Amino acid sequence: MVGVAGGGADAYRGQPDRHADAAEHFHVSVKTLRRRIADGTIAGYRVGRLIRVDLDELTQSLVGAIPSARSV
């Protein structure tokens, strides 16, 4: 999981991460991730009292190509 000592994102691919750690990883606020979970833009998974998110899903949802005038 992101933010855990001794572990990197590659070591835990496919496993859900805390939304606080994911927010730090993507340089967005926890509030932004909570809003995206609430509006259905990204999926959040409840594990007991915790909310987890999948880094692969976040990468697909949040990270996109920025069009350039030179790529035309």
Side-chain angles (χ1 to χ4, degrees):
M1 291 180 201
V2 176
V4 176
D10 293 333
Y12 297 98
R13 278 282 178 222
Q15 293 188 6
D17 288 284
R18 289 183 19 209
H19 64 291
D21 293 336
E24 183 178 328
H25 179 76
F26 286 100
H27 304 285
V28 297
S29 70
V30 172
K31 189 174 184 178
T32 296
L33 283 184
R34 287 181 181 167
R35 281 192 302 243
R36 297 292 179 246
I37 291 169
D39 71 11
T41 305
I42 59 174
Y45 304 97
R46 185 168 293 281
V47 179
R49 295 179 60 198
L50 304 174
I51 297 175
R52 303 286 184 161
V53 293
D54 186 340
L55 285 181
D56 293 332
E57 289 179 8
L58 283 179
T59 300
Q60 291 175 1
S61 298
L62 297 179
V63 179
I66 299 173
S68 169
R70 293 183 180 175
S71 66
V72 178

